[in-house]
Amino acid sequence: MLFNSVTFLLFFILFFFLYWFVTGKSFRWQNILILVASYIFYGWWDWRFVFLLILSTLIDYFFGLAIYQSTTRKKLYLWLSVANNLVILGFFKYYNFFAESFQQMSQKMGWEIHPYILEIVLPVGISFYTFHGMSYVFDIHNGKLKPTSNFIEYAVFVCFFPLLVAGPIERANHLLPQVIKPRTFQYSQAMEGMRLILWGLFKKLVVADSLAVIVNQIFGHHESYSGATLVLGAVYFAFQIYGDFSGYTDIALGTAKLLGFELLTNFKFPYFSRDIAEFWRRWHISLSSWFRDYVYIPLGGSKDGKWGSLKNIFIIFLLSGFWHGAKWTYVVWGGYHALLYVPLFLLNINRKHSDKIVAHDRKLPTLKEFLQMSLVFAMVTIGWVVFRSSSLVDAVHYFEGMTRNLFAMPKETDGLKLVVLFLILDWFARKDERKPHAFVRDEVYIILLTIALLIFGKGTNENIEFIYFQF
């Protein structure tokens, strides 16, 4: 079930009515309703994977209790839980990748090995809900969280449908307290939610889906275009993936607000970053912070000496790339960002821009800030070419094509209007990602965005899935 579909609209209208007007006097019945709705929402893709979701939820629920109650086997139960999660994730997401990679390596050594290849569909959002459960047991083991004995409450934390398939990756100490207490409808919170939903739909339907048509054409036939057009295609994809993923997040946050929940922030205007470290503090924040808290710091973080710290940095960036999917392009993309990050770390300036967004007290950036943002965007866009390519060979050919007829008049320039419009609107909203364009009255904002969606939000006249559903 897609956020950008009539099916979801009808589903949510019915759910909203039942949530506030039928079960509104009991948050426990609200939680049961959320859980049932979440399973229906998830099962809309494939009912078979609902049982996998329930199994994953049960594993971490019982291991969480076991870790908390045990005095001598906490670590054993922790690693059993982690192992179960990784086995499920690895089987469905990575088995074929390792099997095919092993086969290719064996052939280069002169061995003919034919491993069994699974013909299975990747369960949508498996990486997201797996990481929800793992953070829960890690926090219990580290003494940061007391487990809930109520399975429904825990299951709502894992399966809450606004964030189930593409995040943000929630933390139990942030979402569970909201699950286990009564919720009341608040008009101001609901209006903020409507703003975010409409802004997210604008990003997805008007910007991302429109650019997707051009991006697919350019990347699918890159050998036929000049370097200038290929550069433009890379820029288009940078804005497509940002509009698509941050658009989903806005809709998720807005939907949760309509139900009385506040989810974690996942984006803070990453393309206005002044260095690559700031970019990663503003892009997919819930994933970056997850790897920081549960991988980087336990490995020793920055306290392990320069060489140890560099090793840890490369580990989390490579894992971040591999988290996105079983392709070498994602691994190389992660390694590429590690190489960009390392110089800032060695010079001890990786926290230089960690306080406020660029030009926080000004309308426009300085020339220096503009050049910094342009450089960061260029570096990030180079990485997006690898990320978007179907293979490393295709990525190399795309880069080679970018050097061909670089100064020729580019084709497919229609998307530039959308990119410029998106940049301008994002710039005016940059001070608060939860209240986009707050200088416009709620009613006027909702009317204007609704009109824009009706006129321009047709995309390709079909519902295009969000990019991060595949992860």
Side-chain angles (χ1 to χ4, degrees):
M1 195 181 300
L2 302 175
F3 281 167
N4 52 322
S5 68
V6 175
T7 304
F8 177 77
L9 176 62
L10 297 175
F11 164 84
F12 186 74
I13 289 174
L14 175 61
F15 173 82
F16 185 85
F17 174 80
L18 295 174
Y19 182 81
W20 286 118
F21 295 102
V22 177
T23 64
K25 294 183 179 180
S26 170
F27 76 92
R28 291 181 175 84
W29 278 106
Q30 284 183 325
N31 287 340
I32 293 173
L33 179 64
I34 290 173
L35 188 58
V36 171
S38 296
Y39 288 145
I40 294 172
F41 175 82
Y42 192 71
W44 210 263
W45 281 279
D46 192 324
W47 270 106
R48 294 171 297 176
F49 292 135
V50 173
F51 299 102
L52 180 66
L53 174 60
I54 294 173
L55 174 63
S56 178
T57 307
L58 283 168
I59 288 172
D60 291 322
Y61 170 73
F62 284 113
F63 273 118
L65 291 174
I67 292 169
Y68 184 75
Q69 295 167 359
S70 175
T71 55
T72 59
R73 297 181 177 179
K74 290 182 181 291
K75 186 160 289 187
L76 172 63
Y77 292 137
L78 170 68
W79 288 114
L80 284 173
S81 176
V82 171
N84 275 285
N85 276 295
L86 293 180
V87 165
I88 292 173
L89 186 62
F91 177 78
F92 283 95
K93 191 169 183 176
Y94 299 109
Y95 172 82
N96 285 351
F97 170 79
F98 285 116
E100 291 170 357
S101 296
F102 179 69
Q103 181 184 29
Q104 292 170 3
M105 182 180 68
S106 300
Q107 287 175 344
K108 290 180 180 179
M109 298 176 67
W111 302 336
E112 282 296 327
I113 297 177
H114 302 283
Y116 183 74
I117 303 300
L118 299 174
E119 294 184 3
I120 56 174
V121 178
L122 177 67
V124 65
I126 187 172
S127 296
F128 287 93
Y129 68 71
T130 300
F131 272 35
H132 282 152
M134 289 174 67
S135 69
Y136 177 76
V137 294
F138 276 132
D139 284 349
I140 293 171
H141 177 268
N142 295 333
K144 296 180 180 179
L145 181 70
K146 183 178 179 180
T148 176
S149 59
N150 188 308
F151 175 75
I152 291 176
E153 291 174 352
Y154 173 70
V156 169
F157 155 68
V158 175
C159 307
F160 188 38
F161 69 87
L163 55 77
L164 177 56
V165 293
I169 301 171
E170 271 289 343
R171 304 297 180 89
N173 60 5
H174 178 256
L175 185 56
L176 261 179
Q178 300 179 68
V179 173
I180 63 178
K181 69 178 183 180
R183 298 170 289 274
T184 57
F185 182 83
Q186 299 179 33
Y187 178 80
S188 59
Q189 186 182 36
M191 284 297 100
E192 287 181 8
M194 287 299 298
R195 276 177 170 265
L196 284 168
I197 290 171
L198 289 171
W199 180 229
L201 287 171
F202 180 86
K203 288 180 178 180
K204 169 62 175 172
L205 299 178
V206 178
V207 179
D209 286 0
S210 298
L211 291 175
V213 179
I214 308 173
V215 169
N216 292 341
Q217 176 65 24
I218 294 175
F219 273 82
H221 305 87
H222 57 81
E223 67 282 351
S224 304
Y225 291 101
S226 68
T229 303
L230 296 186
V231 170
L232 209 53
V235 171
Y236 287 162
F237 179 69
F239 283 95
Q240 179 202 347
I241 193 170
Y242 173 48
D244 191 283
F245 192 19
S246 69
Y248 174 93
T249 301
D250 288 342
I251 299 170
L253 266 61
T255 303
K257 281 177 176 288
L258 290 175
L259 306 179
F261 290 89
E262 294 290 337
L263 302 182
L264 292 171
T265 296
N266 213 20
F267 289 89
K268 289 186 176 180
F269 311 101
Y271 290 159
F272 299 142
S273 301
R274 289 152 289 185
D275 59 44
I276 207 68
E278 185 181 13
F279 172 83
W280 278 104
R281 285 191 293 272
R282 297 184 178 280
W283 176 275
H284 203 348
I285 301 168
S286 62
L287 179 66
S288 302
S289 61
W290 198 98
F291 277 114
R292 179 197 65 204
D293 294 343
Y294 301 117
V295 180
Y296 182 70
I297 292 176
L299 285 174
S302 302
K303 299 178 180 179
D304 208 14
K306 283 294 183 183
W307 288 110
S309 299
L310 290 176
K311 175 202 68 178
N312 297 337
I313 288 171
F314 271 95
I315 287 174
I316 62 167
F317 272 107
L318 291 172
L319 284 177
S320 177
F322 198 46
W323 175 90
H324 285 81
K327 288 173 61 178
W328 285 111
T329 51
Y330 298 136
V331 178
V332 171
W333 173 77
Y336 167 74
H337 275 276
L339 292 173
L340 296 179
Y341 184 91
V342 162
L344 300 176
F345 176 79
L346 293 176
L347 294 172
N348 200 29
I349 55 175
N350 54 305
R351 303 292 302 177
K352 183 177 181 180
H353 301 296
S354 59
D355 49 357
K356 295 180 179 179
I357 190 69
V358 64
H360 184 268
D361 299 320
R362 289 174 278 111
K363 292 182 179 179
L364 296 173
T366 63
L367 177 60
K368 178 182 178 181
E369 289 171 335
F370 176 79
L371 293 175
Q372 288 174 328
M373 290 188 293
S374 299
L375 178 59
V376 171
F377 179 76
M379 293 189 296
V380 169
T381 300
I382 290 172
W384 285 137
V385 171
V386 180
F387 189 96
R388 174 60 177 76
S389 298
S390 57
S391 68
L392 291 176
V393 172
D394 278 348
V396 170
H397 289 163
Y398 195 98
F399 284 126
E400 290 175 348
M402 290 172 70
T403 64
R404 183 177 60 244
N405 298 325
L406 185 58
F407 299 103
M409 182 62 67
K411 299 179 181 178
E412 309 291 354
T413 57
D414 290 345
L416 281 174
K417 292 178 289 186
L418 276 175
V419 169
V420 173
L421 174 63
F422 189 19
L423 271 175
I424 293 172
L425 291 173
D426 229 25
W427 180 261
F428 283 113
R430 73 190 185 283
K431 293 182 181 179
D432 191 346
E433 75 288 344
R434 298 211 171 219
K435 298 179 181 179
H437 317 107
F439 55 87
V440 181
R441 287 178 57 87
D442 286 328
E443 297 79 4
V444 176
Y445 183 85
I446 291 172
I447 291 171
L448 290 176
L449 263 185
T450 301
I451 293 172
L453 287 168
L454 290 173
I455 296 174
F456 303 108
K458 297 179 181 179
T460 59
N461 294 316
E462 63 182 49
N463 293 325
I464 300 177
E465 281 196 0
F466 290 85
I467 292 174
Y468 267 67
F469 278 16
Q470 63 186 298
F471 305 139

